Amino acid sequence: MQLVVARIGRAHGIKGEVTVEVRTDEPELRLGPGAVLATDPASAGPLTIETGRVHSGRLLLRFAGVHDRTGAEALRNTLLIADVDPDERPEDEDEYYDHQLIDLDVVTKDGEEVGRITEISHLPTQDLFVVERPDGTEVYVPFVEEIVTEIDLEEQRAVIDPPPGLIDEVDEADSASTRDAAAGEEA
């Protein structure tokens, strides 16, 4: 199984180093010197990590055969992909690989069917489940402990406790009448 572990950013300096946006919780395992990674686009790789270091809180990598700024700039926005055993699990029991979550059924804590996870969107502040509802529409569910209360890989489901309005649209008429009633009480 192939997993995206990083995205190459800007060139750093003139000796072929690049910044990388890490997309793995195990960078020391996946992005260490000697690691050979496939790429997307495939024409950019495979790439072998020659060196890695942290500078100002950012991971910098240098790849074999890329020793100048021009070569580093040509790699910008390339995805780095690691081969991973499909049965491998992250060390922390509360962590999951994307492929383990895709296609899980999503239900509320009350057993109401919400849909199926079709994608995991990795944002800077949190991850989101992209859930396709039975009617074909999509809903975005933040992958945070307060909302996603259980992941059951054996039952192939994710249990959520959504706040009001997350999966069901708030009725505009109800909202307006609630606001009007509150305004009347203040007057």
Side-chain angles (χ1 to χ4, degrees):
M1 166 143 307
Q2 295 191 316
L3 298 176
V4 174
V5 293
R7 183 185 64 80
I8 298 175
R10 298 185 310 207
H12 180 83
I14 60 171
K15 296 183 180 181
E17 285 185 311
V18 294
T19 61
V20 294
E21 174 189 311
V22 176
R23 294 190 181 175
T24 176
D25 290 334
E26 304 164 317
E28 63 286 341
L29 175 66
R30 309 278 183 221
L31 300 171
V36 178
L37 302 166
T39 60
D40 182 8
S43 60
L47 294 172
T48 302
I49 298 175
E50 195 170 86
T51 64
R53 67 185 178 102
V54 176
H55 175 71
S56 298
R58 263 214 186 280
L59 180 60
L60 302 178
L61 297 179
R62 180 175 310 143
F63 301 101
V66 180
H67 296 286
D68 62 16
R69 186 173 185 90
T70 303
E73 286 175 348
L75 295 174
R76 189 171 190 168
N77 293 321
T78 298
L79 297 177
L80 299 176
I81 302 166
D83 281 319
V84 177
D85 180 344
D87 296 326
E88 183 180 326
R89 295 278 319 250
E91 288 182 19
D92 186 342
E93 66 181 45
D94 291 333
E95 292 180 1
Y96 303 91
Y97 292 129
D98 288 3
H99 72 271
Q100 295 173 304
L101 301 170
I102 300 293
D103 287 331
L104 291 184
D105 293 324
V106 179
V107 298
T108 66
K109 65 180 183 167
D110 300 326
E112 177 187 339
E113 179 185 0
V114 177
R116 182 181 56 85
I117 300 173
T118 58
E119 182 182 339
I120 312 297
S121 180
H122 300 280
L123 303 176
T125 56
Q126 69 190 19
D127 294 336
L128 290 176
F129 290 162
V130 179
V131 179
E132 183 178 318
R133 301 189 66 141
D135 66 5
T137 61
E138 290 182 338
V139 63
Y140 301 99
V141 177
F143 188 19
V144 294
E145 192 174 336
E146 296 79 20
I147 297 173
V148 180
T149 59
E150 179 185 356
I151 298 289
D152 186 338
L153 295 178
E154 286 185 24
E155 294 293 322
Q156 288 289 290
R157 69 182 188 148
V159 179
I160 64 171
D161 184 10
L166 181 67
I167 60 172
D168 295 317
E169 293 182 25
V170 177
D171 186 3
E172 287 296 320
D174 288 345
S175 296
S177 63
T178 303
R179 282 193 305 270
D180 292 343
E185 290 174 12
E186 290 177 12

